[in-house]
């Protein structure tokens, strides 16, 4: 269903677009929400500054529980069209195999994932390429002011603006920093110098020394080659950051010497991108007529790999449970909006994300006796389970299943 556009005499510059739901931000969260709501027959206006999402380093792989959510929301076939599938990840530490993870996963550039999500909206005119510069919100109808002079009205505004905080700030929504410069991530693509394929489908190499602050390097296939995501907990001003940008091959092997025999002679084939992440959560967000989803509500530690799970839970709960109910009756006051923030699944996903962020940091870099023992046990448990599984395939799975029953 399309939204209504009222064209004035100035050639559209001050047109007003009427919709049921206006979504600000067409990254993964906003675009998937727009697709879900449009599919359910609601009039949706999705506003993003850019027609095409730029080549920015964000999530580049999805697997496990996240895939189940993608399937539940009905986007799995579309994901398969843009991503590279892989099923086995060889996990190593200090050059030795820890275990092998078996399970479907996909690698992709983030921009392709966002493009895929936007294609699911159906009606291409639902995407308005413009910048939202102001929001007027109340219990009834919300008003968006766009940089071009156009306006959008909606019963509900979904803020999916990612880490950009300016718009929320004007509404009194603040970001509380839980951990400043919590993690540093690097993304780049590698290939063997002789052009041959690597001997593994995907590989994770864990850090060897707490002082290095390396959680893990994850290698997985994307269409352009073998993608590398390096996740660290280390001061972003440390000279090692510059070395990783300037001489990624030599620096990676210096930090993770056990990788050498698995990679052979390799080179980085594209620009090294890096990102310093603060862990933040918003305050002052409970307002009539507006909900925040995805990174706009809470940021995530990339090493924990929980950003997509969180945003998929947000999209699922908001678009399948709450918005259809809210639109059936007049008003969009706090009684409705607060239901979303009190949702059990949403709260659990948000808390799990913070818990995993703290766990990964401690497992990587805490060097007190308690965490040293915990780290050793963590890897010992995994490699023992792997050996048992090699000797008696399927036996451990059956025991775990019986214990769960
Ligand atoms: C380096 C890195 C690695 C990561 N790795 C993982 C991982 O392995 N696993 C995982 O699960 N998660 C990972 N994440 C987290 C994941 O990428 C994010 O949670 C997810 O991309 C957030 O999507 P979003 O739609 O909320 O925000 P975004 O994708 O940032 O989208 C926000 C959109 O809002 C638009 N916008 C902003 N302001 C305005 C405005 N005023 N008007 C119009 N448009 C506006 C922007 O143009 C943008 O398109 C990683 C994040 C980073 C930074």
């Amino acid at each position: 269903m399309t939204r209504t556009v009222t064209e004035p005499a100035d050639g559209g510059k001050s047109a007003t677009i009427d919709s049921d739901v206006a979504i600000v931000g067409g990254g993964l969260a906003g675009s998937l929400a727009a697709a879900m709501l449009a599919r359910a027959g609601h009039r949706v206006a999705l506003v993003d500054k850019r027609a095409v999402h730029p080549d920015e380093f964000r999530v580049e792989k999805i697997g496990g529980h996240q895939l189940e959510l993608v399937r539940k929301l009905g986007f799995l076939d579309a994901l398969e069209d843009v991503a590279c599938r892989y099923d086995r990840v060889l996990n190593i530490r200090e050059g030795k195999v820890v275990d092998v993870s078996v399970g479907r996963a996909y690698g992709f550039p983030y921009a392709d994932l966002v493009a895929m999500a936007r294609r699911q909206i159906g009606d291409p005119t639902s995407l308005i390429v413009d910048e939202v510069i102001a929001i007027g919100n109340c219990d009834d109808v919300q008003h968006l002011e766009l940089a071009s002079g156009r306006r959008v009205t909606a019963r509900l505004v979904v803020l999916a603006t990612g880490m950009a905080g300016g718009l929320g700030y004007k509404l009194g929504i603040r970001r509380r920093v839980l951990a400043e410069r919590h993690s540093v991530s690097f993304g780049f693509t590698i290939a063997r110098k002789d052009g041959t394929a690597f001997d593994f489908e995907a590989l994770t190499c864990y850090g060897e020394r707490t002082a290095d602050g390396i959680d893990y390097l994850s290698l997985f296939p994307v269409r352009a080659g073998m993608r590398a995501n390096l996740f660290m907990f280390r001061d972003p001003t440390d000279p090692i950051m510059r070395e990783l940008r300037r001489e990624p091959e030599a620096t990676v092997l210096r930090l993770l010497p056990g990788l050498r025999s698995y990679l052979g002679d390799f080179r980085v084939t594209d620009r090294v991108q890096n990102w310093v992440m603060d862990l933040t959560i918003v305050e002052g967000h409970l307002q009539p007529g507006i909900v925040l989803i995805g990174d706009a509500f809470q940021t995530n530690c990339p090493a924990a790999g929980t950003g997509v799970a969180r945003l998929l839970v947000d999209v699922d709960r908001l678009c399948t449970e709450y918005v259809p109910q809210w639109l059936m009756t007049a008003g969009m006051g706090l009684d409705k909006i607060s239901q979303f923030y009190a949702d059990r699944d949403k709260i659990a996903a948000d808390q799990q994300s913070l818990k995993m962020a703290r766990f990964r940091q401690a497992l990587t870099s805490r060097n007190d006796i308690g965490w040293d023992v915990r780290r050793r046990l963590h890897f010992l448990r995994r490699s023992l389970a792997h050996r048992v599984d090699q000797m008696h395939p399927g036996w451990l799975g059956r025991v775990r299943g019986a214990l769960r029953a």
Side-chain angles (χ1 to χ4, degrees):
M1 198 180 285
T2 50
R3 70 259 181 287
T4 318
V5 182
T6 315
E7 289 280 356
D10 61 3
K13 278 199 190 107
S14 58
T16 297
I17 299 150
D18 292 318
S19 58
D20 297 326
V21 183
I23 300 173
V24 188
L28 188 59
S31 302
L32 288 179
M36 298 274 297
L37 294 171
R39 213 195 269 163
H42 303 296
R43 297 178 308 150
V44 178
L46 173 67
V47 189
D48 198 286
K49 290 188 266 198
R50 296 167 293 205
V52 176
H53 201 83
D55 171 28
E56 277 175 354
F57 179 26
R58 293 279 191 283
V59 58
E60 298 185 322
K61 61 180 173 2
I62 290 184
H65 168 59
Q66 294 174 331
L67 264 193
E68 284 161 33
L69 288 168
V70 172
R71 184 181 290 118
K72 181 181 171 205
L73 298 184
F75 298 113
L76 190 58
D77 289 347
L79 172 68
E80 288 200 324
D81 289 344
V82 296
C84 251
R85 190 173 118 181
Y86 58 98
D87 295 289
R88 285 171 70 86
V89 185
L90 182 66
N91 300 308
I92 64 164
R93 189 165 184 248
E94 295 173 344
K96 296 186 206 96
V97 174
V98 175
D99 56 9
V100 178
S101 312
V102 179
R104 178 76 32 97
Y106 294 90
F108 44 76
Y110 186 60
D112 289 2
L113 191 69
V114 171
M116 172 283 283
R118 288 187 184 180
R119 280 196 295 277
Q120 306 313 303
I121 301 168
D123 174 11
T125 65
S126 300
L127 174 65
I128 300 159
V129 181
D130 213 326
E131 182 176 5
V132 177
I133 53 171
I135 301 176
N137 63 313
C138 65
D139 281 353
D140 188 17
V141 177
Q142 327 311 325
H143 297 270
L144 303 185
E145 209 179 296
L146 310 189
S148 64
R150 288 182 289 181
R151 288 172 178 276
V152 178
T153 64
R155 295 214 33 223
L156 174 71
V157 171
V158 177
L159 263 194
T161 43
M163 289 176 274
L167 204 52
Y169 200 80
K170 290 181 192 165
L171 294 163
I173 300 170
R174 302 280 184 266
R175 274 188 188 277
R176 182 155 61 91
V177 178
L178 302 173
E180 200 174 12
R181 308 196 295 182
H182 179 256
S183 62
V184 187
S185 310
F186 287 82
F188 47 89
T189 310
I190 61 169
R192 277 226 167 106
K193 278 190 181 161
D194 62 7
T196 59
F198 291 102
D199 296 336
F200 49 83
E201 209 182 343
L203 181 147
T204 302
C205 178
Y206 294 98
E208 299 186 6
R209 295 165 297 256
T210 50
D212 290 336
I214 294 188
D215 190 345
Y216 60 93
L217 172 79
S218 172
L219 301 172
F220 53 92
V222 292
R223 292 206 170 143
M226 186 63 76
R227 190 69 182 160
N229 283 182
L230 176 67
F231 299 121
M232 303 174 75
F233 298 98
R234 194 154 168 178
D235 179 358
T237 62
D238 191 291
I240 197 79
M241 304 299 158
R242 193 162 0 112
E243 289 167 41
L244 276 164
R245 280 190 298 269
R246 289 197 181 155
E247 291 184 323
E249 297 91 344
T251 314
V252 161
L253 290 182
R254 186 152 52 78
L255 291 167
L256 299 167
L259 249 187
R260 190 177 292 274
S261 59
Y262 293 88
L263 292 188
D265 231 358
F266 76 101
R267 65 191 174 88
V268 170
T269 59
D270 63 358
R271 153 175 91 96
V272 177
Q273 299 191 49
N274 90 301
W275 191 270
V276 179
M277 182 64 94
D278 293 338
L279 281 188
T280 65
I281 185 159
V282 289
E283 290 177 337
H285 51 284
L286 186 55
Q287 303 211 11
I290 297 184
V291 283
L292 277 70
I293 61 169
D295 281 13
F297 181 78
Q298 179 179 309
T299 60
N300 320 278
C301 167
T306 49
V308 169
R310 271 197 55 247
L311 78 77
L312 290 172
V313 169
D314 278 357
V315 169
D316 180 25
R317 301 306 294 149
L318 182 69
C319 302
T320 58
E321 177 78 15
Y322 299 111
V323 174
Q325 275 182 39
W326 294 349
L327 292 176
M328 278 163 67
T329 53
M332 203 49 77
L334 294 183
D335 53 328
K336 290 183 176 174
I337 302 297
S338 57
Q339 291 173 346
F340 172 67
Y341 295 122
D343 184 273
R344 275 211 324 235
D345 291 351
K346 175 185 168 44
I347 292 173
D350 292 345
Q351 287 179 347
Q352 174 68 4
S353 179
L354 292 177
K355 189 173 151 198
M356 283 304 293
R358 293 189 179 113
F359 172 74
R360 293 255 45 115
Q361 183 180 30
L363 191 70
T364 302
S365 34
R366 285 273 299 267
N367 53 14
D368 50 281
I369 181 91
W371 274 99
D372 191 40
V373 170
R374 223 170 143 173
R375 187 161 36 247
R376 283 169 202 270
L377 284 177
H378 174 86
F379 287 108
L380 184 66
R381 203 178 317 123
R382 284 179 58 175
S383 54
L384 282 178
H386 175 60
R387 276 184 217 158
V388 170
D389 208 43
Q390 276 187 318
M391 285 189 289
H392 307 285
W395 182 79
L396 260 183
R398 286 195 293 278
V399 171
R400 284 189 187 125
L403 287 174
R404 269 198 298 272

